[in-house]
Amino acid sequence: MPNSEEPQTVFQEILGFKEERSAFASGRVATMTRGANFWSRFLSHEWSSAALYLFLDVVSWLAIYRVAGWFRYDAFYATPFQFFVINLIQLCVIVAALYLVGGYDRTVEKLTLGYAAEHILAVTAAGLVSAMLIYSAATFDQTMKPSRGVLLQYLVASSVGRSFLVIGGGATAAHFYEAYKKSANGQQLEFVDVNEEHVGQPIAGEGSPIVQGNLASKLDDLSNRYSGIVLAERASSLNTQLLERLVHAQFQETRVYTLESFYETQWRYLPLGIIDPFWPLQTGFQLARTSPYHYLKRLFDVVASATALVICSPLFILVPFLIWIKDGAPVLFRQERVGRDGRHFILLKFRTMRCRTHHPDEDIYTREGDPRVTRVGRWLRKLRVDELPQLWNALKGDISLIGPRAEWSKCAERYEQSIPFYHFRHLVKPGITGWAQVNYPYGESDEDAVEKLNYDLYYIRHYSLKLDAMIVLKTLYTMLFGKGR
């Protein structure tokens, strides 16, 4: 007899399954309804689209950076904190740029060619600004390495055991060797004499590299042995065959440097020994009276100095008061300086030293621990606050914010008589801060004046927005970390 309870049980199970499915479907619909209500309420707010765009930007940026980090093996950062700070800086710059073009404004039409152009320009500008910030941070924090720096470390590692081949064995090559020893370059130098007059002799006395011969064989093995060739001989002393071989090496094998290009590329200054009276007539100078950057820089000087005078106005009350309380009057220091084209003007600074006696034997240099510097003046110099009155000179046009230091007319007359080509530094308007000031300590001698002139000549040769930006970053670092004197 068939079991009548079995169909009934199956029917009940089917009915229970349908009820469960119906309950699940009802719960799912309720959940979807609540979700839809949440999104509808969220999207009803004015700020909802901005928040959504911002969230997508952050997620996209982190994803891009994660992929980039994978390709460079996370070699950029020394600590997770650096990762956080760098990403935060870049995100802030990009978000600010997109905000300025209406990227987070729901009323701005995004699907237009005009907005697309603005978006591209904003992201490009943000990339340039953030790159400048990151590379400037890496300049002063040696634990950080920009992505190209990561590539460089592999290139440097691959160059271990290589050296620079210096063609020359005379006084010029010896002077280059002495300068190279004082630099941070770690690669060795090999010297070879073109005419083999100095073969077997040390280049600069005992303990220095021995000058070698057989230049032809060395030029045949450039790719594996040398990182570059430095030409420490005049081109007129080289035969045609050798010059052709060097040109071939420059374009196909390794970099060939003249002394000038090596100093500029590796050390960013120009030694007087390779300068001649026709140096300003060479091609490649970006400095010209008709240069658009010349007028742009003047506009920047006016706007920036006027703005800085307003922002720093409390200091123009506080600092003179401190000087007057501690050291009495006068609070301002006035001195005749030499500007562009040799024009004289009166430069203003906050007084940091006791008043000069104008005695003929008085030291014209301010030295380390100079007793003439007052207690307040020592701090003003350290923080570069004593330079603030020069903003008025910049506003008037006597000086620029960036340029070679304006020298005291008495010192300038002395230098022009003793230092060759010193007058070249008057081709540009002097500045409150400059390439020499941020790369060389405070001058205390005629020798220091020569070294600083090397950097001033480099600035004149490479006068540009990029170099001025580098000077600004280094100046800010000096002010923030009290590196002045």
Side-chain angles (χ1 to χ4, degrees), residues 169 192-201 211-216:
V192 57
D193 193 14
V194 181
N195 302 316
E196 301 192 357
E197 295 178 0
H198 302 91
V199 173
Q201 300 178 13
V211 179
Q212 303 175 31
N214 199 5
L215 175 60

Side-chain angles (χ1 to χ4, degrees), residues 42 67 111 116 126 144 150 152 161 166 198 220 228 245 280 286 323 328 330 346 357 360 366 379 392 396 405 422:
F42 173 78
V67 173
L111 301 179
M144 291 174 55
V150 176
L152 270 177
V166 184
H198 302 91
D220 290 335
R245 184 68 182 86
Q286 298 184 51
I323 296 174
I346 301 299
T357 62
T366 305
W379 283 103
W392 176 248
K396 288 170 55 182
R405 183 176 183 269
Y422 184 81

